[in-house]
């Protein structure tokens, strides 16, 4: 087989693989959960409390990070990208700088400001979906009636992992993809989605007591679904300042998805009896 034929065969295989993943993602409907999270969050005022308690410091942090990145990083990156992207450099550099700002904001906010608030939001959403038995695996549940957020007791497990050096190195390794006009930026965002999709279910995996191998296998079997969720969630969190709002609504969407997974398991178990 000639080199040209091998290249054509490889390209065809990759196109078929991407097409298959896209079809799996569409069938899963996971990409809709970040949007469902917005609607559910707005419709349930109980879920607003964790966000409102952290609103002032996180907005201040977001504005500071975005301002810093556009003042010090935009022009140097635009100069480099203009060599590869030509007139599209202004657009691709904006996307790149927003992505970098989002990543930096996520590292800082989830490490120092909103980790506990996001856990409360995830668990509170599960309680609203009558998944008390699942939540009870990771925290105490206060007895009595009242709103779900008031039932959230002391955390027994705290799952949201901090950004690891490996994750940051991988992010930096992907940055050169932005040198490829349009397509490279899209691939970059998809790869980021592939990473952040499973991260959105860190709390769910912990509540289910998954070990590392179980989590890896579970995500691998649903990689298209998790990538599509992460892609949409990342796109929302690229929006300046509003990213903090979408960080919470994406958490709600992830919890809704987890609740639906559990409900489908229960229905399947009942049908098999």
């Amino acid at each position: 087989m000639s080199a040209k034929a091998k290249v054509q065969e490889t390209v065809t295989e990759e196109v078929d693989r991407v097409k298959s993943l896209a079809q799996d993602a569409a069938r899963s409907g996971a990409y809709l959960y970040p949007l469902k999270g917005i609607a559910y969050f707005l419709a349930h005022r109980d879920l607003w409390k964790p966000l409102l308690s952290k609103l002032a410091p996180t907005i201040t942090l977001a504005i500071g990070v975005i301002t810093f990145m556009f003042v010090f990083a935009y022009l140097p990156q635009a100069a480099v990208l203009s060599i590869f992207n030509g007139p599209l450099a202004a657009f691709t550099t904006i996307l790149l700088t927003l992505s970098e700002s989002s990543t930096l904001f996520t590292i800082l906010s989830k490490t120092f400001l909103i980790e506990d608030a996001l856990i409360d939001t995830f668990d509170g959403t599960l309680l609203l979906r009558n998944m008390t038995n699942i939540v009870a695996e990771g925290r105490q549940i206060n007895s009595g009636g009242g709103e779900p957020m008031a039932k959230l007791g002391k955390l027994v497990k705290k799952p949201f992992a901090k950004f690891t050096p490996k994750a940051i190195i991988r992010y930096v390794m992907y940055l050169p993809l932005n040198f490829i006009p349009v397509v490279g930026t899209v691939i970059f965002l998809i790869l980021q989605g592939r990473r952040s999709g499973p991260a959105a279910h860190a709390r769910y995996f912990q509540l289910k007591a998954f070990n590392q191998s179980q989590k890896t296998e579970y995500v691998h079997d649903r990689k298209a679904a998790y990538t599509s969720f992460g892609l949409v969630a990342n796109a929302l969190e690229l929006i300046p300042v509003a990213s903090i709002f979408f960080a919470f609504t994406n958490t709600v969407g992830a919890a809704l998805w987890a609740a639906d997974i559990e409900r489908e398991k229960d229905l399947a178990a009942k049908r098999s009896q």
Side-chain angles (χ1 to χ4, degrees):
M1 182 182 293
S2 67
K4 183 178 179 181
K6 289 181 179 179
V7 170
Q8 290 177 335
E9 181 182 1
T10 301
V11 170
T12 300
E13 289 175 353
E14 284 300 304
V15 169
D16 290 341
R17 186 176 69 84
V18 171
K19 186 185 297 184
S20 176
L21 287 174
Q23 291 172 345
D24 290 344
R27 282 194 294 267
S28 73
Y31 61 91
L32 293 174
Y33 280 100
L35 305 179
K36 291 179 180 179
I38 297 172
Y40 199 85
F41 182 85
L42 293 175
H44 294 80
R45 296 176 65 92
D46 292 350
L47 297 175
W48 297 6
K49 290 183 178 180
L51 169 60
L52 294 176
S53 68
K54 302 291 184 179
L55 198 56
T58 49
I59 287 180
T60 301
L61 175 63
I63 293 174
V65 167
I66 292 169
T67 301
F68 175 85
M69 291 301 296
F70 273 91
V71 169
F72 293 101
Y74 177 80
L75 289 178
Q77 292 181 135
V80 175
L81 288 177
S82 64
I83 300 173
F84 300 91
N85 295 357
L88 292 173
F91 174 70
T92 54
T93 307
I94 288 174
L95 287 180
L96 175 60
T97 306
L98 286 175
S99 177
E100 292 167 340
S101 300
S102 175
T103 300
L104 182 56
F105 170 76
T106 299
I107 294 172
L108 294 175
S109 63
K110 289 187 177 179
T111 300
F112 300 108
L113 294 177
I114 64 173
E115 179 184 21
D116 289 344
L118 290 177
I119 295 173
D120 288 347
T121 301
F122 191 96
D123 291 355
T125 302
L126 288 180
L127 289 183
L128 283 167
R129 293 295 302 273
N130 298 317
M131 295 289 162
T132 305
N133 58 322
I134 299 294
V135 179
E137 295 296 322
R139 75 188 308 156
Q140 297 173 359
I141 304 297
N142 297 326
S143 59
E147 60 187 36
M149 300 305 293
K151 295 181 180 180
L152 297 177
K154 182 180 178 182
L155 284 170
V156 178
K157 301 175 182 177
K158 200 171 183 178
F160 282 102
K162 307 292 190 297
F163 261 63
T164 63
K166 184 185 293 186
I168 296 173
I169 292 170
R170 188 180 294 115
Y171 177 85
V172 173
M173 288 175 59
Y174 292 158
L175 285 177
L177 286 168
N178 291 277
F179 294 156
I180 306 172
V182 184
V183 175
T185 301
V186 172
I187 294 173
F188 174 79
L189 293 175
I190 291 174
L191 290 173
Q192 287 298 102
R194 189 174 68 178
R195 179 200 61 78
S196 63
H201 264 172
R203 178 62 168 170
Y204 176 58
F205 296 147
Q206 189 194 43
L207 294 175
K208 296 293 292 181
F210 282 7
N211 59 36
Q212 186 58 43
S213 62
Q214 288 174 317
K215 184 178 75 172
T216 300
E217 181 181 358
Y218 187 89
V219 171
H220 180 269
D221 292 342
R222 298 160 180 81
K223 58 184 176 181
Y226 277 109
T227 299
S228 65
F229 178 95
L231 178 60
V232 176
N234 274 352
L236 291 172
E237 291 188 31
L238 286 178
I239 300 174
V241 182
S243 60
I244 176 60
F245 170 76
F246 291 120
F248 280 85
T249 61
N250 287 336
T251 299
V252 172
L256 293 176
W257 186 11
D260 286 345
I261 291 172
E262 290 299 307
R263 202 172 300 279
E264 287 171 8
K265 286 181 180 179
D266 291 342
L267 290 174
K270 290 178 181 178
R271 284 195 294 266
S272 63
Q273 291 177 353

